[in-house]
Amino acid sequence: MPGMCVALKYCPQLAALDEKPYLTRHEMNLLIGAAGACPPELEQYCCANGDIRWFAKSALKASKKPSKKPTPPVEMDGDNSISDTECLQTRIGMDDRSIGRASLDSSFGVFIAYTGRKKYSRCVGSLITPEYVLTAAHCVQKPNGMVVYVNAHHVTRDTVHGGLKADVEPRYVREVVIHEQYNTTTRDHDIALLRLNESVAVGDPGSPRPICIPMGTKHDPIAAAGHTLNCFGWGVYADGEPADSKQWITLERISQELCQARMDSLRVALVQRVLVTERNICTITITGHDAFAGYSGGPLMYRKEGTWFLVGLINFGVGTTSSEFPVVSLNVQQYTDWIIGNIRQ
């Protein structure tokens, strides 16, 4: 069918697929094909003319002009770009066009490995600027003992240096910034920044794009209790064996009250009571595959209008492969000032 390259919000059928927590192979191929049919720098999708809903008057007028030539891709008013007030990165001078939007994959994903460590010693991070990776504080070691792989998919054993390596070029850490109030016992303030020794090229077609960290509370209803959130990593399966390919998981956010009640039921098994505060986000599995060991530092996120928004960092669960109790994550929106302050410094 004849169509045009438009922003995702103007094609309701494709937008509905993009918002689904699960996709069939056919649905994923539709999205990939629709994105691939348009110039990558425009970040638009090929949509059948009959499905397009115009919201901008200028675009509506343009669509009615008769023309025998194929209609070129157009950029319309109010497309799926991110407003300056939405992403933390715009507060430190980044162009919103270089923040990870309209991406069907997770090019901002980072596999964190440790030289000489065993196969179970693995963590996850997220590229938030061309120079910084956000992760959990308990994942962090000395800079010279860490190797990071931006936009990795598969990992294998490094027979030369020990530990694990990924299928992309390694990058190294120049500086580690751990939250000054991080508590190794309670895991409170479990957040850290890794400053890379070399900036990642972003913005070019096919290159990694930092994930958006939303500012304020207007995103809360979308990621509120009862809604689904996504995460990925190279953690262990329910049987305790580690995954060597990137695994995606879908989790349900639960209220702090329910999370605290479930944690309190474990007081016999735990050394001390786990306190759930506004600095935490709690999730439970809805598929059986939870954020088990190895997902630490992974992004808890949701997708809206072609953009990934990071709202949490996986911190800890109960046991290695238990799916009966909540996983507690750090609420990143409580730490936006800390992130901005340290990057500016």
Side-chain angles (χ1 to χ4, degrees):
M1 294 179 290
M4 291 180 62
C5 287
V6 298
L8 189 63
K9 66 181 291 183
Y10 291 101
C11 192
Q13 290 192 352
L14 294 180
L17 292 180
D18 183 67
E19 299 292 337
K20 290 177 64 175
Y22 301 99
L23 288 178
T24 65
R25 184 182 298 274
H26 174 68
E27 290 170 334
M28 177 59 78
N29 287 338
L30 278 176
L31 280 174
I32 293 174
C38 300
E41 65 273 10
L42 294 182
E43 296 177 354
Q44 296 178 342
Y45 293 74
C46 183
C47 186
N49 285 340
D51 296 334
I52 297 174
R53 295 182 186 173
W54 304 106
F55 298 104
K57 293 181 180 178
S58 59
L60 180 60
K61 292 177 181 178
S63 69
K64 291 182 177 179
K65 291 181 179 179
S67 175
K68 295 182 180 180
K69 297 181 180 180
T71 307
V74 294
E75 291 197 56
M76 294 167 291
D77 301 333
D79 64 6
N80 64 332
S81 61
I82 306 169
S83 99
D84 288 347
T85 59
E86 284 191 89
C87 292
L88 171 151
Q89 289 89 334
T90 60
R91 307 290 177 92
I92 53 176
M94 283 185 64
D95 186 345
D96 63 2
R97 289 175 296 180
S98 64
I99 304 171
R101 58 185 173 124
S103 174
L104 293 175
D105 58 9
S106 53
S107 62
F108 49 80
V110 179
F111 176 71
I112 302 174
Y114 311 110
T115 55
R117 298 291 292 277
K118 296 186 296 184
K119 61 181 179 180
Y120 294 99
S121 301
R122 52 180 76 189
C123 273
V124 187
S126 300
L127 188 72
I128 61 169
T129 78
E131 198 177 4
Y132 281 92
V133 170
L134 188 69
T135 187
H138 76 269
C139 286
V140 171
Q141 294 187 342
K142 294 180 179 179
N144 58 8
M146 302 175 64
V147 186
V148 299
Y149 298 89
V150 181
N151 198 17
H153 293 279
H154 306 287
V155 299
T156 56
R157 186 74 180 169
D158 188 342
T159 57
V160 177
H161 303 99
L164 295 164
K165 62 179 181 180
D167 54 354
V168 294
E169 289 296 316
R171 296 179 181 274
Y172 300 95
V173 178
R174 174 175 167 186
E175 182 183 4
V176 168
V177 183
I178 298 176
H179 196 284
E180 53 277 3
Q181 296 180 42
Y182 169 55
N183 188 308
T184 57
T185 302
T186 64
R187 292 278 177 89
D188 203 12
H189 307 291
D190 192 1
I191 184 172
L193 285 166
L194 306 180
R195 185 182 182 189
L196 304 179
N197 66 344
E198 185 178 358
S199 294
V200 176
V202 300
D204 298 330
S207 63
R209 294 202 172 194
I211 185 171
C212 174
I213 299 177
M215 297 291 291
T217 58
K218 69 176 185 176
H219 292 263
D220 285 353
I222 305 171
H227 289 249
T228 56
L229 297 169
N230 296 102
C231 185
F232 59 79
W234 294 262
V236 301
Y237 295 107
D239 60 5
E241 287 298 313
D244 289 336
S245 296
K246 181 189 289 185
Q247 303 295 311
W248 283 80
I249 53 178
T250 303
L251 306 170
E252 179 184 344
R253 183 173 182 176
I254 62 174
S255 67
Q256 291 183 344
E257 293 76 17
L258 177 58
C259 183
Q260 188 66 70
R262 292 198 178 188
M263 285 299 182
D264 285 346
S265 70
L266 285 169
R267 291 188 67 181
V268 175
L270 297 176
V271 176
Q272 62 182 24
R273 186 174 188 237
V274 175
L275 292 177
V276 179
T277 71
E278 70 279 357
R279 295 190 295 273
N280 301 123
I281 293 176
C282 292
T283 56
I284 56 173
T285 176
I286 55 177
T287 63
H289 188 188
D290 210 338
F292 299 131
Y295 284 93
S296 290
L300 202 58
M301 57 192 180
Y302 66 89
R303 188 169 167 82
K304 179 186 177 185
E305 295 182 359
T307 300
W308 283 111
F309 292 94
L310 187 155
V311 295
L313 297 178
I314 301 294
N315 282 167
F316 65 90
V318 179
T320 305
T321 57
S322 170
S323 59
E324 300 178 10
F325 298 100
V327 167
V328 179
S329 299
L330 175 134
N331 188 339
V332 173
Q333 286 184 287
Q334 295 285 328
Y335 293 85
T336 52
D337 288 343
W338 181 85
I339 295 171
I340 293 172
N342 279 282
I343 291 179
R344 282 178 174 170
Q345 203 173 42

